Amino acid sequence: MAEPRTPEEVVARARRAADLPDLDGAISGCFACPRLVTWREEVARTRRAAFRDQEYWGRPVPGFGVSDARIAILGLAPAAHGGNRTGRIFTGDRSGDVLFAALHRAGLANQPTSVARDDGLALRETRIFSAVRCAPPDNKPTPGERDTCAPWLHRELALIRPTLRVVVALGAFAWAAWWPALRAVYGIHPPSPRPAFGHGAHWSGTAVPEVLGCYHVSQQNTFTGRLTPRMLDEVFTRAKQVAGVD
Ligand code: SF4
């Protein structure tokens, strides 16, 4: 099938993805959201001065991590000069610096930094992906873009469903993106009313992953002290406990 260019084609291609490498390749070739395609390519063309000599990825950013993950980390979307530049989620930006340092302290990453796709970073028991796979202007995808991208998320969750035990939702957008997955992936009704997002919020059901809320690792939160390394360590300690990871 050609590269997806409509929401219907995203649905069909996601459904056909046989495994994570197939899914990752299909996501990387998606053109279904005109506004985001324009933006990701514009950013890749104009570049930030500090990265002027680099070739930007400029495409959707697939998930990263192991295929039998017990822990999933769900973010919002790639950063314009982070994932959209390097081609790997949370790679090459300040948010990633904070996240991977915490994962390394938790024993879930083999190194505390994430700077490029060939930097040797490997995760343990963990996979990271975002609700929307293209960098959006102002980090704000529209509800329509979120819904168009959801089949990629749902297929990724379905492929790691056998091992997945806990999802860490980074921020309110990711928290909200989780609930439709309950119906799409697990065939159960989402709770009503939806549990409110907050740092430390958690929800568990029967035979579905537990969900933990965590403030997003954005500079807005980490530079202001709203989210501290200790708070992140507590979230990942809890995630490991839930997932049965040593
Ligand atoms: S946001 Fe998702 S659905 Fe939209 S173009 Fe990017 S990968 Fe495709």
Side-chain angles (χ1 to χ4, degrees):
M1 183 188 284
E3 294 155 335
R5 291 183 180 272
T6 67
E8 294 75 22
E9 289 174 4
V10 172
V11 170
R13 185 61 185 89
R15 197 175 284 151
R16 281 183 40 245
D19 52 29
L20 287 171
D22 185 19
L23 180 73
D24 293 348
I27 290 171
S28 301
C30 183
F31 289 82
C33 302
R35 187 183 78 113
L36 299 188
V37 171
T38 300
W39 175 250
R40 77 194 192 200
E41 293 179 354
E42 168 75 11
V43 170
R45 201 165 37 247
T46 54
R47 307 177 198 182
R48 179 176 280 171
F51 308 124
R52 186 77 66 207
D53 59 342
Q54 296 184 17
E55 181 89 12
Y56 273 49
W57 175 255
R59 289 153 55 194
V61 180
F64 171 64
V66 297
S67 58
D68 56 352
R70 299 173 73 83
I71 300 169
I73 300 171
L74 177 59
L76 192 172
H81 301 281
N84 188 57
R85 172 173 61 89
T86 61
R88 195 172 68 192
I89 194 71
F90 283 114
T91 296
D93 62 23
R94 294 290 176 86
S95 300
D97 291 346
V98 173
L99 177 62
F100 285 103
L103 290 174
H104 184 250
R105 290 194 299 275
L108 298 173
N110 68 335
Q111 60 188 45
T113 58
S114 176
V115 295
R117 275 187 297 152
D118 59 357
D119 63 4
L121 176 66
L123 300 185
R124 174 177 162 261
E125 306 278 8
T126 304
R127 192 165 174 90
I128 305 176
F129 36 77
S130 53
V132 170
R133 307 301 174 115
C134 292
D138 299 323
N139 286 323
K140 286 197 180 90
T142 66
E145 289 160 351
R146 176 200 61 204
D147 294 348
T148 299
C149 208
W152 296 131
L153 170 65
H154 296 165
R155 187 65 186 143
E156 188 148 13
L157 288 166
L159 288 168
I160 61 172
R161 178 178 173 173
T163 53
L164 185 62
R165 297 293 175 267
V166 60
V167 176
V168 177
L170 296 177
F173 190 95
W175 178 263
W178 166 251
W179 309 109
L182 285 178
R183 194 189 309 275
V185 180
Y186 294 90
I188 68 166
H189 291 293
S192 180
R194 303 281 164 87
F197 172 75
H199 185 85
H202 58 94
W203 177 87
S204 57
T206 304
V208 295
E210 183 161 328
V211 190
L212 306 180
C214 178
Y215 289 147
H216 195 277
V217 287
S218 66
Q219 290 184 67
Q220 279 167 309
N221 289 332
T222 58
F223 276 26
T224 58
R226 187 168 188 244
L227 177 65
T228 64
R230 175 183 288 220
M231 290 164 71
L232 270 173
D233 290 348
E234 288 166 355
V235 169
F236 289 125
T237 297
R238 170 75 180 148
K240 287 171 64 182
Q241 282 170 351
V242 173
V245 170
D246 293 333

